[in-house]
Amino acid sequence: MKISYSQIEAGSREAVEKECEHHIEKLNRLLKRYDPEVVQLHCSLEKTPRRTEDGFSLSLTLPTGSLHARGLGVDARTGVKVAFAEIE
């Protein structure tokens, strides 16, 4: 699986990548029928101005279609969990 991250600040990048690793392992087990070279996962983090929420967006591109999910949470890790739960 090809993974790309965008718009993630240095302060939250480590926490986001650590939380994503666990969920990516699970996705790899679920998507083992697909060739890993054609599966793409794009992750991005959005800070919501004037709110204490972080939004995390996922786009999973497969040969048969695309799945998109967005998770909102108090912090980046919560947003990651919500978005991956929607994809899974």
Side-chain angles (χ1 to χ4, degrees):
M1 178 182 306
K2 296 178 184 177
I3 304 164
S4 63
Y5 296 94
S6 66
Q7 301 177 359
I8 299 177
E9 297 173 358
S12 24
R13 187 172 188 93
E14 185 177 328
V16 168
E17 286 181 354
K18 186 176 179 182
E19 188 65 38
C20 286
E21 285 178 19
H22 170 71
H23 294 287
I24 289 170
E25 288 176 18
K26 187 173 183 181
L27 275 179
N28 281 330
R29 287 192 303 265
L30 293 171
L31 300 172
K32 61 184 171 186
R33 290 185 161 191
Y34 293 102
D35 180 19
E37 294 298 317
V38 297
V39 177
Q40 297 179 7
L41 181 68
H42 179 76
C43 309
S44 65
L45 182 68
E46 301 105 25
K47 295 276 186 186
T48 308
R50 290 175 253 141
R51 288 191 176 175
T52 58
E53 291 181 331
D54 288 336
F56 186 78
S57 298
L58 289 174
S59 293
L60 179 64
T61 307
L62 304 169
T64 55
S66 296
L67 299 172
H68 303 282
R70 186 162 192 261
L72 292 174
V74 177
D75 60 356
R77 290 186 65 203
T78 307
V80 170
K81 288 180 183 181
V82 171
F84 271 103
E86 190 174 328
I87 288 283
E88 292 169 357

Coordinates of all heavy atoms in Angstrom, one line a residue:
M1 N 0.8 -1.2 0.0 CA 0.0 0.0 0.0 C 0.9 1.2 0.0 O 1.8 1.3 0.8 CB -0.9 0.0 1.2 CG -1.8 1.2 1.4 SD -2.8 1.3 2.8 CE -3.7 -0.3 2.8
K2 N 0.6 2.2 -0.9 CA 1.3 3.4 -0.9 C 0.6 4.4 0.0 O -0.6 4.6 -0.1 CB 1.3 4.0 -2.4 CG 2.1 3.1 -3.3 CD 2.0 3.6 -4.7 CE 2.7 2.7 -5.7 NZ 2.6 3.1 -7.1
I3 N 1.3 5.0 0.9 CA 0.7 5.9 1.9 C 1.3 7.3 1.7 O 2.6 7.4 1.6 CB 1.0 5.4 3.3 CG1 0.5 4.0 3.4 CG2 0.4 6.3 4.3 CD1 1.0 3.2 4.6
S4 N 0.5 8.3 1.7 CA 1.0 9.7 1.7 C 0.2 10.5 2.7 O -0.9 10.3 3.0 CB 0.8 10.3 0.3 OG -0.6 10.4 0.0
Y5 N 1.0 11.5 3.3 CA 0.4 12.4 4.3 C 0.6 13.8 3.8 O 1.6 14.1 3.2 CB 1.2 12.2 5.7 CG 1.1 10.9 6.3 CD1 2.1 9.9 6.1 CD2 0.0 10.6 7.2 CE1 2.0 8.7 6.7 CE2 0.0 9.3 7.8 CZ 0.9 8.4 7.6 OH 0.9 7.2 8.2
S6 N -0.4 14.6 4.1 CA -0.3 16.0 3.8 C -0.9 16.9 4.8 O -1.8 16.4 5.6 CB -1.0 16.3 2.4 OG -2.3 16.1 2.5
Q7 N -0.5 18.1 4.9 CA -1.0 19.1 5.8 C -1.0 18.7 7.3 O -1.9 19.0 8.1 CB -2.4 19.5 5.4 CG -2.5 20.0 4.0 CD -4.0 20.4 3.7 OE1 -4.9 20.2 4.4 NE2 -4.1 20.8 2.4
I8 N 0.0 17.9 7.7 CA 0.1 17.5 9.1 C 1.3 18.2 9.7 O 2.5 18.1 9.2 CB 0.3 16.0 9.2 CG1 -0.9 15.3 8.6 CG2 0.5 15.6 10.6 CD1 -0.8 13.8 8.6
E9 N 1.1 19.0 10.7 CA 2.1 19.8 11.4 C 3.1 18.9 12.1 O 2.8 17.7 12.5 CB 1.5 20.7 12.4 CG 0.5 21.7 11.9 CD -0.2 22.5 12.9 OE1 0.0 22.2 14.1 OE2 -0.9 23.4 12.6
A10 N 4.3 19.4 12.3 CA 5.4 18.6 12.9 C 5.0 18.1 14.3 O 5.3 17.0 14.7 CB 6.7 19.4 12.9
G11 N 4.3 18.9 15.0 CA 4.0 18.6 16.4 C 3.0 17.4 16.5 O 3.1 16.6 17.4
S12 N 2.1 17.3 15.6 CA 1.1 16.2 15.6 C 1.4 15.1 14.7 O 0.8 14.0 14.7 CB -0.3 16.7 15.4 OG -0.4 17.8 14.6
R13 N 2.5 15.2 13.9 CA 2.8 14.2 12.9 C 3.1 12.8 13.5 O 2.6 11.8 13.0 CB 3.9 14.7 12.0 CG 4.2 13.7 10.8 CD 5.1 14.3 9.8 NE 5.2 13.5 8.6 CZ 4.5 13.7 7.5 NH1 3.6 14.6 7.4 NH2 4.7 12.9 6.5
E14 N 3.9 12.8 14.5 CA 4.3 11.6 15.2 C 3.2 10.8 15.7 O 3.0 9.6 15.6 CB 5.4 11.9 16.2 CG 6.0 10.6 16.9 CD 7.0 10.9 17.9 OE1 7.7 11.9 17.7 OE2 7.1 10.1 18.8
A15 N 2.3 11.5 16.4 CA 1.1 10.9 17.0 C 0.1 10.4 15.9 O -0.4 9.3 16.1 CB 0.3 11.9 17.9
V16 N 0.0 11.1 14.9 CA -0.9 10.7 13.8 C -0.3 9.5 13.1 O -1.0 8.5 12.8 CB -1.1 11.9 12.8 CG1 -1.7 11.4 11.5 CG2 -1.9 13.0 13.4
E17 N 1.0 9.5 12.8 CA 1.6 8.3 12.1 C 1.6 7.1 13.0 O 1.3 6.0 12.5 CB 3.0 8.6 11.7 CG 3.1 9.6 10.5 CD 4.5 9.9 10.1 OE1 5.5 9.5 10.8 OE2 4.7 10.6 9.1
K18 N 1.8 7.2 14.3 CA 1.7 6.1 15.2 C 0.3 5.5 15.2 O 0.2 4.3 15.2 CB 2.2 6.5 16.6 CG 2.3 5.4 17.6 CD 2.8 5.8 18.9 CE 2.9 4.7 19.8 NZ 3.4 5.1 21.2
E19 N -0.7 6.3 15.3 CA -2.1 5.8 15.4 C -2.5 5.2 14.0 O -3.2 4.2 14.0 CB -3.0 7.0 15.7 CG -4.4 6.6 16.0 CD -4.6 5.7 17.2 OE1 -3.9 5.9 18.2 OE2 -5.4 4.8 17.1
C20 N -2.0 5.8 12.9 CA -2.3 5.2 11.6 C -1.7 3.9 11.4 O -2.3 3.0 10.7 CB -1.8 6.2 10.5 SG -2.8 7.7 10.4
E21 N -0.5 3.6 11.9 CA 0.2 2.4 11.7 C -0.7 1.2 12.1 O -0.8 0.2 11.4 CB 1.5 2.3 12.5 CG 2.6 3.1 11.9 CD 3.9 3.1 12.8 OE1 4.0 2.2 13.6 OE2 4.7 4.0 12.6
H22 N -1.3 1.3 13.3 CA -2.2 0.2 13.8 C -3.3 -0.1 12.8 O -3.6 -1.2 12.4 CB -2.7 0.5 15.1 CG -3.7 -0.4 15.6 ND1 -3.5 -1.7 16.0 CD2 -5.1 -0.2 15.8 CE1 -4.6 -2.2 16.4 NE2 -5.6 -1.4 16.2
H23 N -3.9 1.0 12.3 CA -5.1 0.9 11.5 C -4.7 0.4 10.1 O -5.4 -0.3 9.4 CB -5.9 2.2 11.4 CG -6.5 2.5 12.7 ND1 -7.6 1.9 13.2 CD2 -6.2 3.5 13.6 CE1 -7.9 2.4 14.4 NE2 -7.1 3.4 14.6
I24 N -3.5 0.8 9.6 CA -3.0 0.4 8.3 C -2.7 -1.1 8.2 O -3.0 -1.7 7.3 CB -1.8 1.3 7.9 CG1 -2.2 2.7 7.6 CG2 -1.1 0.7 6.7 CD1 -1.1 3.7 7.4
E25 N -2.2 -1.6 9.4 CA -2.0 -3.1 9.4 C -3.3 -3.8 9.2 O -3.4 -4.8 8.5 CB -1.4 -3.4 10.8 CG 0.1 -3.0 10.9 CD 0.6 -3.3 12.3 OE1 0.0 -4.1 13.0 OE2 1.7 -2.8 12.6
K26 N -4.4 -3.3 9.9 CA -5.7 -3.9 9.8 C -6.2 -3.8 8.3 O -6.7 -4.8 7.8 CB -6.6 -3.3 10.8 CG -8.0 -4.0 10.8 CD -8.8 -3.5 11.9 CE -10.1 -4.2 12.0 NZ -11.0 -3.7 13.1
L27 N -6.0 -2.7 7.7 CA -6.5 -2.5 6.3 C -5.7 -3.4 5.4 O -6.3 -4.0 4.5 CB -6.2 -1.0 5.9 CG -7.3 0.0 6.2 CD1 -6.9 1.3 5.7 CD2 -8.7 -0.4 5.7
N28 N -4.4 -3.6 5.6 CA -3.6 -4.5 4.8 C -4.2 -5.9 4.9 O -4.2 -6.6 3.9 CB -2.2 -4.5 5.2 CG -1.4 -3.3 4.6 OD1 -1.8 -2.8 3.6 ND2 -0.4 -2.8 5.4
R29 N -4.6 -6.4 6.1 CA -5.2 -7.7 6.2 C -6.6 -7.8 5.4 O -6.9 -8.8 4.8 CB -5.4 -8.0 7.7 CG -4.1 -8.4 8.4 CD -4.4 -9.0 9.7 NE -5.2 -8.2 10.6 CZ -4.8 -7.3 11.5 NH1 -3.5 -7.2 11.7 NH2 -5.6 -6.6 12.3
L30 N -7.3 -6.7 5.5 CA -8.6 -6.7 4.8 C -8.5 -6.6 3.3 O -9.4 -7.1 2.6 CB -9.5 -5.5 5.3 CG -9.9 -5.5 6.8 CD1 -10.6 -4.2 7.2 CD2 -10.9 -6.7 7.0
L31 N -7.4 -6.0 2.8 CA -7.2 -5.8 1.4 C -6.2 -6.7 0.8 O -5.6 -6.3 -0.2 CB -6.8 -4.3 1.2 CG -7.8 -3.3 1.6 CD1 -7.3 -1.9 1.5 CD2 -9.1 -3.4 0.9
K32 N -6.0 -7.8 1.4 CA -4.9 -8.7 0.9 C -5.1 -9.3 -0.5 O -4.2 -9.7 -1.2 CB -4.6 -9.8 1.9 CG -5.7 -10.8 2.1 CD -5.3 -11.8 3.2 CE -6.6 -12.6 3.6 NZ -6.3 -13.5 4.7
R33 N -6.4 -9.2 -1.0 CA -6.7 -9.6 -2.4 C -6.1 -8.7 -3.5 O -5.9 -9.1 -4.6 CB -8.2 -9.8 -2.6 CG -8.7 -10.9 -1.9 CD -10.2 -11.0 -2.2 NE -10.6 -12.4 -1.9 CZ -11.8 -12.9 -2.2 NH1 -12.6 -12.2 -3.0 NH2 -12.1 -14.1 -1.9
Y34 N -5.9 -7.4 -3.1 CA -5.4 -6.4 -4.0 C -3.9 -6.4 -4.0 O -3.3 -6.6 -3.0 CB -5.9 -5.0 -3.6 CG -7.4 -4.9 -3.8 CD1 -8.3 -4.9 -2.7 CD2 -8.0 -4.7 -5.0 CE1 -9.6 -4.8 -2.8 CE2 -9.4 -4.5 -5.2 CZ -10.2 -4.6 -4.1 OH -11.5 -4.4 -4.3
D35 N -3.3 -6.1 -5.1 CA -1.9 -5.9 -5.3 C -1.5 -4.7 -4.5 O -2.1 -3.6 -4.7 CB -1.5 -5.8 -6.8 CG 0.0 -5.6 -7.0 OD1 0.7 -5.9 -6.1 OD2 0.3 -5.1 -8.1
P36 N -0.5 -4.8 -3.6 CA -0.2 -3.6 -2.8 C 0.3 -2.4 -3.6 O 0.3 -1.3 -3.1 CB 1.0 -4.1 -1.9 CG 0.8 -5.6 -1.9 CD 0.2 -6.0 -3.2
E37 N 0.8 -2.6 -4.8 CA 1.3 -1.5 -5.6 C 0.2 -0.7 -6.2 O 0.4 0.5 -6.6 CB 2.1 -2.1 -6.8 CG 3.4 -2.8 -6.3 CD 4.3 -1.8 -5.6 OE1 4.5 -0.7 -6.1 OE2 4.9 -2.2 -4.6
V38 N -1.1 -1.2 -6.2 CA -2.2 -0.4 -6.8 C -3.1 0.2 -5.7 O -4.0 1.0 -6.1 CB -3.0 -1.2 -7.8 CG1 -2.1 -1.6 -9.0 CG2 -3.6 -2.4 -7.1
V39 N -2.9 -0.1 -4.5 CA -3.7 0.5 -3.4 C -3.0 1.7 -2.8 O -1.8 1.7 -2.5 CB -3.9 -0.6 -2.2 CG1 -4.7 0.0 -1.1 CG2 -4.6 -1.8 -2.8
Q40 N -3.7 2.8 -2.8 CA -3.2 4.1 -2.3 C -4.0 4.6 -1.2 O -5.3 4.6 -1.2 CB -3.1 5.1 -3.4 CG -2.2 4.7 -4.6 CD -2.2 5.8 -5.6 OE1 -2.8 6.8 -5.5 NE2 -1.6 5.5 -6.7
L41 N -3.4 5.1 -0.1 CA -4.0 5.8 1.0 C -3.5 7.2 1.2 O -2.2 7.3 1.3 CB -3.8 4.9 2.3 CG -4.5 5.4 3.5 CD1 -6.0 5.3 3.4 CD2 -4.0 4.7 4.7
H42 N -4.3 8.1 1.2 CA -3.9 9.5 1.4 C -4.6 10.0 2.6 O -5.8 9.9 2.8 CB -4.3 10.4 0.2 CG -3.9 11.8 0.4 ND1 -2.6 12.2 0.2 CD2 -4.6 12.9 0.7 CE1 -2.5 13.5 0.4 NE2 -3.7 14.0 0.8
C43 N -3.8 10.6 3.5 CA -4.2 11.1 4.8 C -3.9 12.6 4.9 O -2.8 13.0 4.6 CB -3.5 10.4 6.0 SG -3.5 8.6 5.9
S44 N -4.9 13.3 5.5 CA -4.6 14.8 5.8 C -5.3 15.2 7.0 O -6.4 14.7 7.4 CB -5.0 15.6 4.6 OG -6.4 15.6 4.4
L45 N -4.7 16.1 7.7 CA -5.2 16.7 9.0 C -5.6 18.1 8.8 O -4.8 18.9 8.2 CB -4.2 16.5 10.1 CG -4.5 17.0 11.5 CD1 -5.6 16.0 12.0 CD2 -3.3 16.9 12.3
E46 N -6.8 18.5 9.2 CA -7.3 19.9 9.1 C -7.6 20.4 10.5 O -8.3 19.8 11.2 CB -8.6 20.0 8.3 CG -8.4 19.4 6.8 CD -9.1 18.1 6.7 OE1 -10.0 17.8 7.4 OE2 -8.7 17.4 5.8
K47 N -7.1 21.5 10.8 CA -7.4 22.3 12.0 C -8.6 23.1 11.8 O -8.7 23.8 10.8 CB -6.2 23.2 12.5 CG -5.0 22.4 12.8 CD -5.1 22.0 14.2 CE -3.7 21.4 14.7 NZ -3.8 20.8 16.0
T48 N -9.6 23.0 12.6 CA -10.8 23.8 12.5 C -10.6 25.1 13.2 O -10.4 25.1 14.4 CB -12.0 23.0 13.0 OG1 -12.1 21.7 12.5 CG2 -13.3 23.8 12.7
P49 N -10.7 26.2 12.5 CA -10.5 27.5 13.2 C -11.7 27.8 14.1 O -12.8 27.5 13.8 CB -10.4 28.5 12.0 CG -10.9 27.8 10.8 CD -10.9 26.4 11.1
R50 N -11.4 28.5 15.2 CA -12.3 28.9 16.2 C -13.1 27.7 16.9 O -14.1 27.9 17.4 CB -13.3 29.9 15.6 CG -12.7 31.2 15.4 CD -13.6 32.1 14.7 NE -13.2 32.2 13.3 CZ -14.0 32.2 12.3 NH1 -15.3 32.3 12.4 NH2 -13.5 32.3 11.0
R51 N -12.5 26.5 16.7 CA -13.1 25.3 17.4 C -11.9 24.5 18.0 O -10.8 24.7 17.6 CB -13.9 24.5 16.4 CG -15.2 25.0 16.0 CD -15.9 24.0 15.3 NE -17.3 24.5 14.9 CZ -18.1 23.8 14.2 NH1 -17.8 22.6 13.7 NH2 -19.3 24.3 13.9
T52 N -12.3 23.6 18.9 CA -11.2 22.8 19.4 C -11.2 21.4 18.8 O -10.9 20.4 19.4 CB -11.5 22.6 20.9 OG1 -12.8 22.1 21.2 CG2 -11.3 24.0 21.6
E53 N -11.7 21.3 17.5 CA -11.8 20.1 16.8 C -10.7 20.0 15.8 O -10.3 21.0 15.2 CB -13.1 19.9 16.1 CG -14.3 19.7 17.0 CD -15.6 19.6 16.2 OE1 -15.7 20.1 15.1 OE2 -16.4 18.9 16.8
D54 N -10.2 18.7 15.6 CA -9.3 18.4 14.5 C -10.1 17.5 13.5 O -10.7 16.6 14.0 CB -8.0 17.8 14.9 CG -7.1 18.7 15.7 OD1 -7.2 19.9 15.4 OD2 -6.3 18.2 16.5
G55 N -9.9 17.8 12.2 CA -10.5 16.9 11.2 C -9.5 16.1 10.6 O -8.4 16.6 10.2
F56 N -9.7 14.8 10.4 CA -8.8 13.9 9.7 C -9.5 13.3 8.5 O -10.5 12.7 8.7 CB -8.3 12.8 10.7 CG -7.2 12.0 10.1 CD1 -5.9 12.4 10.1 CD2 -7.4 10.7 9.6 CE1 -4.9 11.7 9.5 CE2 -6.4 9.9 9.1 CZ -5.1 10.4 9.1
S57 N -8.9 13.4 7.3 CA -9.5 12.9 6.1 C -8.7 11.7 5.6 O -7.4 11.8 5.5 CB -9.6 14.0 5.1 OG -10.5 15.0 5.5
L58 N -9.4 10.7 5.1 CA -8.7 9.6 4.4 C -9.3 9.4 3.0 O -10.5 9.5 2.9 CB -9.0 8.3 5.2 CG -8.4 8.1 6.5 CD1 -8.9 6.8 7.2 CD2 -6.9 7.9 6.3
S59 N -8.5 9.0 2.1 CA -8.9 8.6 0.8 C -8.2 7.3 0.4 O -7.0 7.3 0.3 CB -8.6 9.7 -0.3 OG -9.3 10.8 -0.1
L60 N -9.0 6.3 0.3 CA -8.4 5.0 0.0 C -8.8 4.7 -1.5 O -10.0 4.6 -1.8 CB -9.0 3.9 0.9 CG -8.6 2.5 0.7 CD1 -7.1 2.3 0.9 CD2 -9.3 1.5 1.5
T61 N -7.8 4.6 -2.3 CA -8.0 4.3 -3.8 C -7.7 2.9 -4.1 O -6.6 2.4 -3.9 CB -7.2 5.3 -4.6 OG1 -7.4 6.6 -4.2 CG2 -7.5 5.1 -6.1
L62 N -8.7 2.2 -4.6 CA -8.5 0.8 -5.0 C -8.8 0.7 -6.5 O -9.3 1.6 -7.1 CB -9.6 -0.1 -4.3 CG -9.6 0.0 -2.8 CD1 -10.8 -0.7 -2.2 CD2 -8.3 -0.7 -2.2
P63 N -8.4 -0.4 -7.1 CA -8.6 -0.6 -8.5 C -10.1 -0.6 -8.9 O -10.5 -0.2 -10.0 CB -8.0 -2.0 -8.9 CG -7.1 -2.2 -7.8 CD -7.6 -1.5 -6.6
T64 N -11.0 -0.9 -7.9 CA -12.4 -1.0 -8.2 C -13.2 0.2 -7.8 O -14.4 0.3 -8.0 CB -13.0 -2.2 -7.4 OG1 -12.7 -2.1 -6.1 CG2 -12.5 -3.5 -8.0
G65 N -12.5 1.2 -7.1 CA -13.2 2.4 -6.7 C -12.4 3.1 -5.6 O -11.3 2.7 -5.3
S66 N -13.0 4.2 -5.1 CA -12.4 4.9 -4.0 C -13.3 5.0 -2.8 O -14.6 5.1 -3.0 CB -12.1 6.4 -4.5 OG -11.2 6.3 -5.5
L67 N -12.7 5.1 -1.6 CA -13.5 5.3 -0.4 C -12.9 6.5 0.3 O -11.7 6.7 0.3 CB -13.3 4.1 0.5 CG -13.8 2.7 0.0 CD1 -13.3 1.6 1.0 CD2 -15.3 2.7 -0.1
H68 N -13.8 7.3 0.8 CA -13.4 8.5 1.5 C -14.1 8.6 2.9 O -15.2 8.2 3.0 CB -13.9 9.8 0.7 CG -13.4 9.8 -0.7 ND1 -12.1 10.2 -1.0 CD2 -13.9 9.5 -1.9 CE1 -11.9 10.1 -2.3 NE2 -13.0 9.7 -2.8
A69 N -13.4 9.0 3.9 CA -13.9 9.1 5.2 C -13.3 10.4 5.9 O -12.2 10.8 5.6 CB -13.5 7.9 6.0
R70 N -14.0 10.9 6.8 CA -13.6 12.1 7.6 C -14.0 11.8 9.1 O -15.1 11.5 9.4 CB -14.2 13.3 7.1 CG -13.7 14.6 7.8 CD -14.0 15.8 6.9 NE -13.2 16.9 7.4 CZ -13.7 17.9 8.2 NH1 -15.0 17.8 8.6 NH2 -13.0 18.8 8.7
G71 N -13.0 12.1 9.9 CA -13.3 11.9 11.4 C -13.0 13.2 12.1 O -11.9 13.9 11.8
L72 N -13.9 13.6 13.0 CA -13.7 14.8 13.8 C -13.4 14.4 15.2 O -14.0 13.4 15.7 CB -14.9 15.7 13.8 CG -15.2 16.4 12.5 CD1 -16.5 17.2 12.6 CD2 -14.1 17.4 12.1
G73 N -12.5 15.0 15.9 CA -12.2 14.7 17.3 C -11.6 15.8 18.0 O -11.2 16.8 17.4
V74 N -11.5 15.7 19.3 CA -10.9 16.7 20.2 C -9.5 16.9 19.9 O -8.9 18.0 19.9 CB -11.1 16.3 21.7 CG1 -10.5 17.3 22.6 CG2 -12.6 16.2 22.0
D75 N -8.8 15.8 19.5 CA -7.4 15.9 19.1 C -7.2 15.1 17.8 O -8.1 14.4 17.3 CB -6.5 15.4 20.2 CG -6.7 14.0 20.6 OD1 -7.7 13.3 20.1 OD2 -6.0 13.4 21.5
A76 N -6.0 15.1 17.3 CA -5.7 14.4 16.0 C -5.9 12.9 16.1 O -6.5 12.3 15.2 CB -4.3 14.7 15.6
R77 N -5.5 12.3 17.2 CA -5.6 10.8 17.4 C -7.1 10.4 17.3 O -7.4 9.4 16.8 CB -5.0 10.4 18.7 CG -3.5 10.5 18.6 CD -2.8 9.9 19.9 NE -3.1 8.4 19.9 CZ -3.1 7.7 21.0 NH1 -2.8 8.3 22.1 NH2 -3.3 6.4 20.9
T78 N -8.0 11.1 18.0 CA -9.4 10.8 17.9 C -10.0 10.9 16.5 O -10.7 10.0 16.1 CB -10.2 11.7 18.9 OG1 -9.6 11.7 20.2 CG2 -11.6 11.3 19.0
G79 N -9.6 11.9 15.8 CA -10.0 12.0 14.4 C -9.5 10.9 13.6 O -10.3 10.4 12.7
V80 N -8.3 10.4 13.8 CA -7.8 9.3 13.0 C -8.6 8.0 13.3 O -9.0 7.3 12.4 CB -6.3 9.0 13.4 CG1 -5.8 7.7 12.9 CG2 -5.4 10.2 13.0
K81 N -8.9 7.8 14.6 CA -9.7 6.6 15.0 C -11.1 6.6 14.3 O -11.6 5.6 13.8 CB -9.9 6.5 16.5 CG -8.6 6.1 17.2 CD -8.8 6.1 18.7 CE -7.5 5.8 19.4 NZ -7.7 5.7 20.8
V82 N -11.7 7.8 14.3 CA -13.1 7.9 13.7 C -13.0 7.6 12.2 O -13.9 6.9 11.7 CB -13.7 9.2 14.1 CG1 -15.0 9.5 13.3 CG2 -13.9 9.4 15.6
A83 N -12.1 8.2 11.5 CA -12.0 8.1 10.1 C -11.7 6.7 9.7 O -12.3 6.1 8.8 CB -10.9 9.0 9.5
F84 N -10.8 6.0 10.4 CA -10.4 4.6 10.0 C -11.6 3.7 10.4 O -11.8 2.7 9.7 CB -9.1 4.2 10.7 CG -7.9 4.5 9.9 CD1 -7.1 5.5 10.3 CD2 -7.6 3.7 8.9 CE1 -5.9 5.8 9.6 CE2 -6.4 3.9 8.1 CZ -5.6 5.0 8.5
A85 N -12.3 4.0 11.4 CA -13.5 3.1 11.8 C -14.5 3.2 10.7 O -15.2 2.2 10.3 CB -14.1 3.6 13.1
E86 N -14.7 4.4 10.1 CA -15.6 4.5 9.0 C -15.2 3.8 7.7 O -16.0 3.1 7.0 CB -15.8 6.0 8.6 CG -16.9 6.3 7.7 CD -17.1 7.8 7.5 OE1 -16.9 8.6 8.4 OE2 -17.5 8.2 6.4
I87 N -13.9 3.8 7.4 CA -13.3 3.1 6.3 C -13.4 1.6 6.5 O -13.8 0.8 5.6 CB -11.9 3.5 6.0 CG1 -11.8 4.9 5.4 CG2 -11.2 2.5 5.1 CD1 -12.2 5.0 4.0
E88 N -13.1 1.1 7.7 CA -13.1 -0.3 8.0 C -14.5 -0.9 7.9 O -14.7 -2.0 7.5 CB -12.4 -0.6 9.3 CG -10.9 -0.3 9.3 CD -10.3 -0.3 10.7 OE1 -11.0 -0.5 11.7 OE2 -9.1 -0.1 10.8

